[in-house]
Amino acid sequence: MYFSSKTITIYDKGCATIFILFLFYSSVVGIGCGNVGTSESEIKQNTFKYFDLKGFIEKEAERLAERTSFTKTVFVNGEQETKPLSHIDAKAELMPFSSSDINKPAWSDQYEIDSVFNQNKELIGLRYQSKDKKLKTKKMSIDFQKSKVVKVYIENATESSVATTYQTLTYRPEKGFSIESRQDVSLMDENQFKIEVSFQ
């Protein structure tokens, strides 16, 4: 993530505010053309019960490493800054997506699965809904078009003794991605944070 001197000036309202924004961004990351995406056949062949989100994101990070034109916009509590970039650290930027992977042995029966097919019996969507309220990843949907992933959508939520963080992740292989978070901190105003990266 970048912050220019102008942005720092906007948010430099005391060390406490900067510290909160740092913690907020840390929680977001830690919660986290050609042929692109994961095909329907690859999903069927892998050994995971659920969509291999981590593997998909790793492939996308490798693909994005070869691109040389991006636009990145950062929104913090209503203020925004946009900057063109010749490259991004895709692995780091996409960490919230890969860390939302639900393929863990302990979770093999913790998600309801709904497969969506079109009239030609082609898979066009996968929907996951958590059964356990304690799980971070609440919902995940994968949309397909001609057996290729065209959209990934994820809803996360985590709760601690001092804050509750809600996170929405959207990834479109041909267009870009967004990471949006809202954090409710005890005895403080709500913080909102969003990153949008578009592929040129």
Side-chain angles (χ1 to χ4, degrees), residues 45-113:
Q45 291 172 5
N46 71 36
T47 59
F48 301 115
K49 180 175 181 179
Y50 308 123
F51 176 79
D52 182 13
L53 179 63
K54 185 176 181 181
F56 170 74
I57 292 299
E58 287 176 352
K59 289 182 180 180
E60 286 298 288
E62 293 175 359
R63 184 176 69 88
L64 294 177
E66 300 177 358
R67 300 187 74 120
T68 58
S69 182
F70 305 87
T71 299
K72 183 175 182 179
T73 303
V74 176
F75 304 82
V76 180
N77 294 336
E79 301 288 347
Q80 74 177 71
E81 179 183 2
T82 300
K83 180 181 289 187
L85 300 171
S86 60
H87 70 279
I88 60 172
D89 185 346
K91 184 176 181 180
E93 295 277 6
L94 296 176
M95 183 64 70
F97 289 88
S98 57
S99 67
S100 298
D101 187 79
I102 59 177
N103 281 297
K104 293 186 178 181
W107 300 345
S108 62
D109 61 349
Q110 294 301 306
Y111 285 87
E112 295 179 353
I113 306 172

Side-chain angles (χ1 to χ4, degrees), residues 78-189:
E79 301 288 347
Q80 74 177 71
E81 179 183 2
T82 300
K83 180 181 289 187
L85 300 171
S86 60
H87 70 279
I88 60 172
D89 185 346
K91 184 176 181 180
E93 295 277 6
L94 296 176
M95 183 64 70
F97 289 88
S98 57
S99 67
S100 298
D101 187 79
I102 59 177
N103 281 297
K104 293 186 178 181
W107 300 345
S108 62
D109 61 349
Q110 294 301 306
Y111 285 87
E112 295 179 353
I113 306 172
D114 183 24
S115 300
V116 184
F117 298 87
N118 62 16
Q119 294 179 344
N120 297 321
K121 297 183 179 181
E122 298 171 328
L123 180 68
I124 59 173
L126 290 171
R127 308 288 183 262
Y128 302 107
Q129 173 76 52
S130 64
K131 299 177 183 178
D132 188 343
K133 294 182 179 180
K134 296 180 181 179
L135 293 176
K136 178 192 72 175
T137 299
K138 310 300 183 185
K139 295 181 180 179
M140 181 187 301
S141 65
I142 318 295
D143 294 337
F144 300 91
Q145 190 173 59
K146 296 182 180 180
S147 297
K148 294 295 180 180
V149 175
V150 293
K151 181 181 177 181
V152 176
Y153 175 80
I154 302 168
E155 291 183 10
N156 291 328
T158 58
E159 186 174 354
S160 69
S161 59
V162 297
T164 301
T165 300
Y166 305 94
Q167 186 181 66
T168 302
L169 312 174
T170 305
Y171 186 88
R172 294 180 173 87
E174 296 293 347
K175 296 181 179 181
F177 62 91
S178 66
I179 301 170
E180 184 172 3
S181 289
R182 175 172 59 85
Q183 189 177 58
D184 297 329
V185 182
S186 300
L187 304 178
M188 296 190 67
D189 294 335

